[in-house]
């Protein structure tokens, strides 16, 4: 069948079973939008800014196992998309971004809306392509989806010049794909896995530390099974929340800069550390030199060899898909008779419980002023702990990760790697479209939400009943916290002046807006939002304590055991 | 430590910038980089000379392998190997210098490949040290231009980098 390049693009998306494309039209993608118009299988979601298109596709992908798709025009369309692409790249989220480009003859002529999109995005994509011939479109898009979802996932960009989308050729979607230069490892090395299992069985102070890789490879079930089989304590990173049920006794909370005392102490003083789909990030282990002071054997399971022994030396590296490797570990454990040393484990748990009894997450609640932690706790209660929660970046993000206890994977969506403010609402949009019946809440702050506030309009158009919980403290809270702690209380440009009336603003966009000033009104307001206004977008503007800080805290460059547990430690 | 990394990469436009971009983005050194298609025109072979600790070299090879278009990566300096670099050097050649330059070129088994009344272009192949030695042996004021290719490398004997 002879089709235009634009028609081929849409047919490829149909072949990949893409249901939603997030995008924004423009000159260079007019043919593609015309082809989109003439079919019904692929639904287009018109955002109000290209950054939000990519974030929404990203949220869509994070909340499902599918590849998110965004469509943008050349020039500013592509540059606006860059923050979204980089955000997905840092968290290994599978995306395909299709960008229009000026006609091939105009490339390099400084044409209207021309930028070197492939050049600009090169450092923040898993791979990218410029398609110069209509006959290459189908194979390139096939490759793009394959690259995005296999191995360590990531965003892949396909740049299509306008004339290429207009030219015609015979369409056939390739069924198979093989690339001699790209063959990701799936199964882990048997011998290495055996060595790892042996180490785990001999451990006296074992600890399991898991990250986003567990979520990405859909291995929460395997992780839970293995952890229970071993009886070891476990911690999930910010990216790995929900990988293991947070309400379980073996779970010690999140590690790292704002992690729990017990998780950090157990990480530091363990003699065998099993790291799964995690990368010893600076926000997790603090100073690598301090971390290395305590001798311990490290087993590291990751699909990306370059993540292994990058920041800390690893004793047993296992390259492979997390789920496959965990399955094999479980198989070997169940096949053998050996079990962990019960006596040593009991002594270790006694120590861990002692650390846990410090109750590091306790905060001083108030009858007068709303504490942000209290809002998140109530949100957890009101939603039965089963909402998809997105967040932006800053203090509210940390409180959401600390006080909303995630028992399931793909329930917690946030920008962990790049730390992009403004992702919260678009993530919620993508998640709500992918999970129409789900309860979706966006925990945000008055600064972050304004970075993509225009999407309230998209939410209206597509009737997305997300619940926005704005922890409004009138400050760039995390900046203010660091200024208070490390810059002598000189609050340089961190006060958010001239804020809008968010409740009225939401109403202006056609949504429900509720302002909450008193602690006693928090729960009723949440109940009203999630029951009475179940099918509407509700913007809850909580006026919270502007002086509240996030604790516990490991200062940048310090070690995991050098924690500030509360303001009294300062 | 100095390392010579050889790699096979798909001969696609932009492949070179993916490699050079990786080095600059992650703060690795490039001393020299050469690239040209192989006998199979769909693939290019690159030789990169870099320096770094063992940890850094390990990361460099892992990161290079991660690039989608890279087919194979080998650190050829880990074992016996051969390195060659080509230099074209234009020298002022007048009066008594004419004979002196010719003599020096002969000693180094270099060839004079262009002759004018006032200049020679000398072609010299060898490892970096040999090329450096030639430059050292020539009166500095005679050098008009120097062009060096950067090194090409290959493993000795059975060590073969091929798909």
């Amino acid at each position: 069948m002879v089709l235009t390049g634009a028609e081929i693009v849409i047919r490829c998306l149909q072949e990949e079973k893409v249901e939603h494309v997030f995008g924004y039209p423009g000159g260079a993608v007019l043919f593609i939008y015309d082809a989109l118009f003439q079919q019904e299988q692929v639904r287009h979601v018109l955002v109000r800014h290209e950054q939000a298109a990519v974030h929404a596709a990203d949220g869509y992908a994070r909340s499902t196992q599918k590849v998110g798709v965004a469509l943008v025009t050349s020039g500013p369309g592509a540059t606006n998309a860059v923050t979204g692409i980089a955000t997905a790249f840092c968290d290994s989220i599978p995306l395909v971004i299709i960008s229009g480009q000026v006609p091939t003859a105009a490339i390099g002529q400084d044409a209207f809306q021309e930028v070197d999109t492939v050049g600009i995005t090169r450092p923040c994509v898993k791979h990218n392509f410029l398609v110069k011939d209509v006959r290459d479109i189908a194979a390139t898009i096939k490759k793009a989806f394959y690259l995005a979802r296999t191995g360590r996932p990531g965003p892949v960009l396909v740049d299509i010049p306008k004339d290429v989308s207009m030219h015609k050729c015979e369409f056939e979607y390739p069924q198979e794909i093989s690339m001699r230069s790209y063959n990701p490892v799936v199964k882990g090395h048997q011998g290495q896995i055996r060595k790892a299992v042996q180490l785990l069985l001999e451990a006296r102070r074992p600890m399991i530390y898991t990250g986003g890789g567990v979520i990405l490879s859909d291995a929460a079930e395997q992780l839970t099974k293995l952890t229970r089989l071993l009886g070891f304590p476990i911690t999930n990173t910010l990216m790995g929340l929900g990988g293991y049920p947070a309400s379980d006794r073996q779970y010690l909370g999140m590690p790292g800069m704002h992690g729990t005392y017990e998780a950090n102490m157990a990480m530091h003083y363990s003699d065998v550390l099993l790291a799964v789909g995690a990368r010893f990030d600076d926000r997790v282990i603090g100073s690598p030199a301090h971390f290395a002071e305590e001798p311990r054997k490290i087993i590291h399971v990751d699909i990306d060899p370059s993540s292994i022994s990058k920041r800390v030396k690893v004793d047993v590296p296992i390259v492979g898909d997390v789920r496959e490797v965990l399955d094999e570990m479980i198989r070997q454990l169940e096949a053998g008779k050996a079990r962990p040393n019960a006596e040593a484990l009991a002594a270790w748990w006694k120590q861990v419980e002692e650390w846990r009894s410090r109750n590091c997450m306790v905060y001083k609640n108030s009858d007068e002023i709303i504490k942000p932690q209290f809002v998140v706790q109530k949100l957890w209660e009101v939603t039965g702990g089963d909402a998809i929660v997105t967040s932006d970046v800053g203090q509210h993000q940390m409180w959401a990760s600390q006080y909303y206890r995630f028992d399931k994977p793909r329930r917690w969506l946030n920008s962990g790697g790049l730390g992009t403010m403004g992702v919260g609402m678009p993530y919620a949009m993508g998640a709500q479209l992918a999970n129409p019946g789900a309860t979706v809440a966006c925990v945000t702050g008055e600064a972050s939400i304004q970075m993509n506030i225009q999407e309230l309009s998209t939410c209206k158009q597509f009737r997305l009943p997300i619940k926005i919980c704005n922890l409004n403290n009138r400050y760039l809270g995390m900046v203010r916290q660091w200024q208070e702690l490390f810059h002598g209380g000189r609050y340089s440009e961190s006060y958010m002046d001239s804020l809008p009336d968010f409740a009225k603003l939401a109403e202006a966009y056609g949504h429900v807006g509720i302002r909450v000033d008193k602690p006693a009104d928090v729960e009723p307001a949440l109940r009203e939002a999630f029951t009475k206004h179940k099918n509407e977008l509700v913007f809850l503007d909580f006026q919270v304590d502007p002086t509240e800080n996030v604790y516990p805290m490991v200062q940048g460059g310090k070690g995991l055991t050098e924690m500030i547990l509360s303001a009294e430690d300062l | 430590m100095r390392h010579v990394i050889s790699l096979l990469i798909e001969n696609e436009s932009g492949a070179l910038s993916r490699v050079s971009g990786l080095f600059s983005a992650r703060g690795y050194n490039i001393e020299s980089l050469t690239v040209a298609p192989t006998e199979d025109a769909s693939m290019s072979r690159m030789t990169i000379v870099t320096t770094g600790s063992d940890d850094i070299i390990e990361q460099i090879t892992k990161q290079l392998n991660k690039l989608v278009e890279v087919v194979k990566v080998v650190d050829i300096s880990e074992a016996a190997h051969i390195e060659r670099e080509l230099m074209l050097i234009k020298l002022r050649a007048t009066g008594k210098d004419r004979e002196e330059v010719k003599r020096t070129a002969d000693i180094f088994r270099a060839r004079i490949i262009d002759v004018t009344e006032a200049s020679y272009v000398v072609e010299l192949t060898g490892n970096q040290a040999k090329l450096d030695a030639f430059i050292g042996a020539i009166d500095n004021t005679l050098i008009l231009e120097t062009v060096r290719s950067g090194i090409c490398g290959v493993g000795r004997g059975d060590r073969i980098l091929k798909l």
Side-chain angles (χ1 to χ4, degrees):
Chain A
M1 189 184 347
V2 174
L3 298 176
T4 67
E7 287 163 344
I8 290 173
V9 170
I10 302 303
R11 281 297 303 273
C12 292
L13 297 182
Q14 292 174 347
E15 291 282 343
E16 290 292 338
K17 310 268 185 295
V18 173
E19 289 165 344
H20 291 95
V21 170
F22 300 86
Y24 205 101
V29 282
L30 275 172
F31 289 109
I32 299 175
Y33 271 85
D34 197 38
L36 197 58
F37 187 80
Q38 299 177 44
Q39 55 86 55
E40 286 181 348
Q41 195 176 326
V42 180
R43 193 173 165 216
H44 183 267
V45 179
L46 177 68
V47 293
R48 280 15 179 201
H49 188 289
E50 287 91 348
Q51 183 190 345
V54 183
H55 288 328
D58 178 343
Y60 188 92
R62 284 177 202 246
S63 68
T64 59
Q65 208 192 337
K66 300 173 191 166
V67 178
V69 182
L71 173 58
V72 298
T73 193
S74 66
T79 54
N80 279 347
V82 169
T83 300
I85 297 169
T87 304
F89 181 66
C90 289
D91 292 343
S92 309
I93 305 302
L95 294 186
V96 169
I97 302 98
I98 294 169
S99 56
Q101 183 54 276
V102 298
T104 40
I107 291 178
Q109 306 286 313
D110 300 323
F112 176 65
Q113 293 194 329
E114 180 190 357
V115 291
D116 175 10
T117 304
V118 165
I120 287 175
T121 57
R122 191 175 293 127
C124 61
V125 291
K126 183 171 175 185
H127 198 59
N128 58 17
F129 300 93
L130 171 63
V131 186
K132 288 183 181 155
D133 189 322
V134 65
R135 287 166 298 186
D136 296 335
I137 291 180
T140 306
I141 293 182
K142 177 85 182 175
K143 269 187 200 167
F145 275 90
Y146 171 66
L147 288 169
R149 70 161 75 91
T150 56
R152 180 176 180 171
V156 179
L157 178 133
V158 182
D159 200 25
I160 305 178
K162 189 169 185 180
D163 56 327
V164 174
S165 70
M166 185 185 72
H167 293 153
K168 289 182 177 176
C169 80
E170 183 69 28
F171 171 70
E172 196 188 345
Y173 200 61
Q175 292 307 308
E176 296 280 306
I177 191 114
S178 93
M179 296 171 75
R180 61 182 173 184
S181 63
Y182 177 78
N183 297 294
V185 177
V186 177
K187 286 220 176 300
H189 190 277
Q190 286 275 338
Q192 290 292 92
I193 296 176
R194 200 164 306 124
K195 237 195 261 177
V197 168
Q198 197 52 40
L199 255 182
L200 290 170
L201 289 171
E202 288 163 6
R204 300 188 68 81
R205 300 186 308 279
M207 178 68 174
I208 302 174
Y209 145 62
T210 77
V214 170
I215 313 294
L216 291 167
S217 99
D218 273 317
E221 200 186 312
Q222 282 78 0
L223 177 66
T224 305
K225 191 169 175 192
L226 178 73
T227 308
R228 291 196 173 141
L229 202 57
L230 290 165
F232 294 173
I234 179 169
T235 177
N236 293 162
T237 69
L238 183 70
M239 292 309 299
L241 295 179
Y244 187 84
S247 53
D248 190 87
R249 194 71 196 155
Q250 279 170 256
Y251 184 67
L252 303 190
M254 194 168 72
M257 183 173 271
H258 294 298
T260 66
Y261 182 67
E262 53 271 30
N264 283 345
M265 294 298 273
M267 283 273 286
H268 194 79
Y269 291 109
S270 61
D271 70 337
V272 174
L273 182 65
L274 171 62
V276 185
R279 57 190 177 95
F280 296 90
D281 176 73
D282 57 291
R283 289 300 194 257
V284 169
I285 62 159
S287 148
H290 182 276
F291 190 65
E293 279 172 12
E294 206 55 39
R296 69 178 85 68
K297 296 273 184 215
I298 298 178
I299 303 160
H300 192 176
V301 184
D302 205 292
I303 195 144
D304 178 3
S306 74
S307 275
I308 297 176
S309 288
K310 184 174 70 179
R311 285 176 45 81
V312 299
K313 269 279 167 220
V314 168
D315 301 280
V316 184
I318 302 172
V319 177
D321 181 80
V322 162
R323 189 168 47 172
E324 298 271 346
V325 174
L326 293 182
D327 261 334
E328 179 58 23
M329 282 182 169
I330 292 168
R331 201 192 61 74
Q332 290 191 12
L333 269 171
E334 286 181 336
K337 288 205 178 68
R339 289 292 171 262
N341 182 333
E343 205 179 313
L345 202 54
W348 176 232
W349 268 111
K350 191 163 166 267
Q351 170 68 74
V352 170
E353 291 302 344
E354 212 175 294
W355 288 326
R356 178 141 59 186
S357 68
R358 293 280 293 261
N359 254 335
C360 68
M361 300 305 279
V362 167
Y363 63 93
K364 261 196 209 111
N365 210 352
S366 157
D367 296 335
E368 315 269 298
I369 190 160
I370 302 175
K371 293 287 180 176
Q373 301 94 323
F374 176 69
V375 177
V376 178
Q377 269 188 331
K378 286 292 160 195
L379 175 68
W380 180 74
E381 284 175 27
V382 168
T383 56
D386 201 27
I388 295 175
V389 178
T390 75
S391 90
D392 274 298
V393 169
Q395 286 186 319
H396 67 268
Q397 176 192 23
M398 292 299 108
W399 286 317
S401 68
Q402 291 174 329
Y403 293 93
Y404 199 100
R405 302 211 291 275
F406 295 93
D407 282 341
K408 293 178 191 165
R410 299 194 186 276
R411 289 289 200 277
W412 166 242
L413 281 45
N414 85 131
S415 167
L418 195 66
T420 309
M421 290 169 72
V423 297
M425 192 175 9
Y427 276 2
M429 287 158 46
Q432 188 74 79
L433 277 158
N435 307 272
T439 303
V440 180
C442 165
V443 177
T444 184
E446 81 293 334
S448 280
I449 194 70
Q450 291 190 86
M451 286 213 181
N452 269 315
I453 193 86
Q454 76 287 345
E455 297 308 316
L456 282 172
S457 177
T458 312
C459 291
K460 184 66 188 172
Q461 184 180 346
F462 293 88
R463 297 193 184 90
L464 302 175
I466 60 178
K467 307 293 180 274
I468 296 169
C469 302
N470 189 29
L471 305 183
N472 188 342
N473 60 3
R474 281 84 69 200
Y475 274 103
L476 294 171
M478 194 57 94
V479 174
R480 190 204 51 74
Q481 176 167 343
W482 284 52
Q483 287 171 337
E484 179 188 329
L485 298 179
F486 314 124
H487 296 276
R490 293 178 296 279
Y491 300 122
S492 178
E493 302 300 320
S494 54
Y495 182 68
M496 274 272 132
D497 212 332
S498 306
L499 285 170
D501 179 332
F502 285 106
K504 274 192 183 156
L505 183 70
E507 282 166 12
Y509 275 105
H511 303 300
V512 178
I514 303 173
R515 180 186 159 111
V516 188
D517 291 281
K518 294 201 186 70
D521 296 334
V522 170
E523 189 174 334
L526 283 166
R527 294 214 180 273
E528 186 185 341
F530 284 97
T531 51
K532 185 178 162 200
H533 301 296
K534 187 172 187 298
N535 298 320
E536 290 165 281
L537 184 150
V538 183
F539 196 116
L540 292 146
D541 188 22
F542 296 100
Q543 307 300 308
V544 302
D545 185 351
T547 63
E548 195 65 28
N549 285 340
V550 181
Y551 293 112
M553 181 174 187
V554 179
Q555 297 177 38
K558 292 269 181 156
L560 281 185
T561 56
E562 304 166 303
M563 296 188 85
I564 306 169
L565 291 189
S566 68
E568 280 108 63
D569 281 0
L570 289 169
Chain B
M1 252 268 279
R2 177 178 178 276
H3 286 255
V4 181
I5 294 170
S6 275
L7 59 93
L8 291 171
I9 187 166
E10 296 287 353
N11 191 7
E12 304 269 352
S13 69
L16 175 60
S17 30
R18 286 185 211 280
V19 173
S20 59
L22 166 69
F23 275 75
S24 61
R26 293 191 181 265
Y28 306 141
N29 298 313
I30 299 184
E31 208 174 277
S32 83
L33 187 157
T34 65
V35 60
T38 61
E39 77 282 2
D40 170 359
S42 71
M43 221 159 24
S44 290
R45 172 142 172 174
M46 212 177 264
T47 307
I48 304 166
V49 181
T50 182
T51 51
S53 64
D54 289 351
D55 289 350
I56 288 175
I57 300 299
E58 184 185 331
Q59 265 299 313
I60 289 176
T61 50
K62 282 175 170 177
Q63 293 292 346
L64 285 169
N65 263 311
K66 203 160 116 180
L67 293 176
V68 166
E69 283 164 343
V70 168
V71 182
K72 249 181 189 176
V73 181
V74 172
D75 181 352
I76 60 166
S77 52
E78 274 182 343
H81 70 286
I82 300 157
E83 296 175 20
R84 285 293 179 271
E85 181 171 8
L86 170 72
M87 175 166 71
L88 299 177
I89 182 164
K90 190 181 284 178
L91 301 164
R92 183 180 301 117
T94 50
K96 65 174 178 21
D97 292 333
R98 239 176 138 75
E99 192 50 36
E100 180 59 26
V101 167
K102 172 79 172 71
R103 245 195 317 271
T104 313
D106 287 343
I107 293 167
F108 279 84
R109 293 181 205 177
R111 297 196 299 151
I112 296 171
I113 54 173
D114 183 63
V115 179
T116 69
E117 280 174 12
S119 72
Y120 286 153
V121 173
V122 177
E123 173 198 324
L124 178 57
T125 309
N127 59 22
Q128 284 177 317
K130 179 179 171 183
L131 270 47
D132 291 343
F134 181 79
I135 291 173
I138 293 282
D139 177 357
N140 218 2
T141 60
L142 299 181
I143 300 176
L144 299 171
E145 277 183 74
T146 310
V147 194
R148 292 174 69 154
S149 64
I151 74 145
C152 285
V154 72
R156 282 189 188 270
D158 291 341
R159 288 165 46 86
I160 290 162
L161 173 58
K162 206 175 162 77
L163 187 62

